[in-house]
């Protein structure tokens, strides 16, 4: 059964007033900064309220919980990544160039949205949201859009001969995505000695493109090319 404040929040969301939407966007943006500074587990609604110069009770008119804020932030970041991947896929340039752009863009996104996108990657979704929830369904659709964009780039490379068909396009695409996603295990924004996200993106790009390029590569000493 909904509480009074829950009903008021639901009504305000449904009405879609500009002032309400603007204030809610401010709260979400502030929460993103707090999550970046303190991490999802370390942050609280009180921290978000303090950053906005208000009290926690006032936030409940706009947002129901810290988890809801997390969902909004992650969805917005994932949506931006999907849109960027689709723009790269549909834009000018060779498939090889597009893969390089995509890899560096994804790593840059993880730096910009550090650490909450990593929280999403490493957490069991059952701990963050009901898999049957509207948010979980939205994330499934967004993630598929991203995957399809990467697969499309690889397939176009197969078609124009710029990417060697070393395996199914889906496997190659998932391998690239997984390589960048795995940085959640070791990348720490701003840590001493930690390479920048841009440097990591460039390194990954070189690794991937040297392995997939249709150009002739020099094998290590004593090792014959795989097609001989």
């Amino acid at each position: 059964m909904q509480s009074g404040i829950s009903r008021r929040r639901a009504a305000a969301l449904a009405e879609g007033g500009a002032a309400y939407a603007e204030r809610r966007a401010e709260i979400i943006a502030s929460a993103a900064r707090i999550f970046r500074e303190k991490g999802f587990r370390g942050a609280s609604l009180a921290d978000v309220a303090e950053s906005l110069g208000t009290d926690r009770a006032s936030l409940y008119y706009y947002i129901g919980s810290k988890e809801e804020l997390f969902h909004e932030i992650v969805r917005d970041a994932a949506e931006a990544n999907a849109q960027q991947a689709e723009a790269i896929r549909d834009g000018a340039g060779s498939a090889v160039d597009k893969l390089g752009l995509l890899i560096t863009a994804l790593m840059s996104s993880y730096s910009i949205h550090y650490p909450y996108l990593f929280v999403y990657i490493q957490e069991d979704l059952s701990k963050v949201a009901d898999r049957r929830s509207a948010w979980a369904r939205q994330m499934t659709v967004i993630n598929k859009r991203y995957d399809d964009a990467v697969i499309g780039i690889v397939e176009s490379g197969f078609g124009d001969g710029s990417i060697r068909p070393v395996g199914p396009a889906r496997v190659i695409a998932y391998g690239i995505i997984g390589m960048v996603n795995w940085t959640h295990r070791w990348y720490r924004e701003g840590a001493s000695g930690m390479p920048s996200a841009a440097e990591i993106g460039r390194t990954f790009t070189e690794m991937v493109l040297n392995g997939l390029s249709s150009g002739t590569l020099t094998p290590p000493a004593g090792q014959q090319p795989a097609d001989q």
Side-chain angles (χ1 to χ4, degrees):
M1 185 174 180
Q2 283 189 320
S3 66
I5 188 63
S6 296
R7 288 193 295 271
R8 289 177 58 211
R9 182 172 60 248
L13 281 169
E15 291 170 2
Y20 181 88
E22 182 177 351
R23 181 56 172 170
R24 195 167 189 270
E26 290 175 356
I27 293 170
I28 291 170
S30 180
R33 291 192 295 271
I34 298 297
F35 288 164
R36 181 181 175 88
E37 294 167 2
K38 297 190 174 185
F40 174 70
R41 297 187 184 282
S44 67
L45 283 182
D47 295 325
V48 177
E50 182 179 357
S51 72
L52 292 165
T54 187
D55 57 80
R56 188 170 61 179
S58 299
L59 293 184
Y60 287 120
Y61 179 55
Y62 298 93
I63 206 79
S65 65
K66 183 176 77 168
E67 287 72 20
E68 185 180 338
L69 279 170
F70 174 79
H71 296 166
E72 293 276 355
I73 294 163
V74 168
R75 184 183 60 214
D76 288 351
E79 171 68 25
N81 285 345
Q83 289 180 357
Q84 187 170 38
E86 289 166 343
I88 292 172
R89 178 196 61 196
D90 299 336
S94 70
V96 169
D97 290 339
K98 289 178 180 181
L99 281 182
L101 288 172
L102 187 138
I103 290 168
T104 54
L106 183 57
M107 192 62 222
S108 293
S109 175
Y110 287 150
S111 174
I112 292 168
H113 300 291
Y114 183 85
Y116 42 84
L117 275 183
F118 280 164
V119 172
Y120 167 66
I121 291 170
Q122 69 192 22
E123 287 287 344
D124 183 343
L125 270 181
S126 65
K127 298 177 182 176
V128 182
D130 185 337
R131 290 177 185 271
R132 298 167 297 178
S133 70
W135 179 79
R137 292 194 298 270
Q138 289 170 346
M139 291 303 299
T140 297
V141 171
I142 292 170
N143 290 339
K144 185 178 186 303
R145 284 172 53 201
Y146 190 94
D147 293 349
D148 287 348
V150 184
I151 293 168
I153 293 171
V154 175
E155 288 176 339
S156 70
F158 287 174
D160 65 19
S162 63
I163 293 178
R164 293 189 297 117
V166 296
R170 184 174 299 274
V171 173
I172 293 173
Y174 287 165
I176 292 169
I177 296 168
M179 177 184 68
V180 184
N181 284 357
W182 192 253
T183 57
H184 83 268
R185 295 293 299 270
W186 54 268
Y187 179 74
R188 299 294 180 268
E189 176 79 5
S192 177
M194 180 64 60
S196 68
E199 183 178 353
I200 293 169
R202 288 192 297 270
T203 301
F204 282 175
T205 297
E206 289 296 320
M207 290 168 55
V208 170
L209 299 191
N210 279 329
L212 293 177
S213 172
S214 60
T216 301
L217 301 177
T218 303
Q223 179 177 324
Q224 294 298 318
D227 59 353
Q228 289 189 0

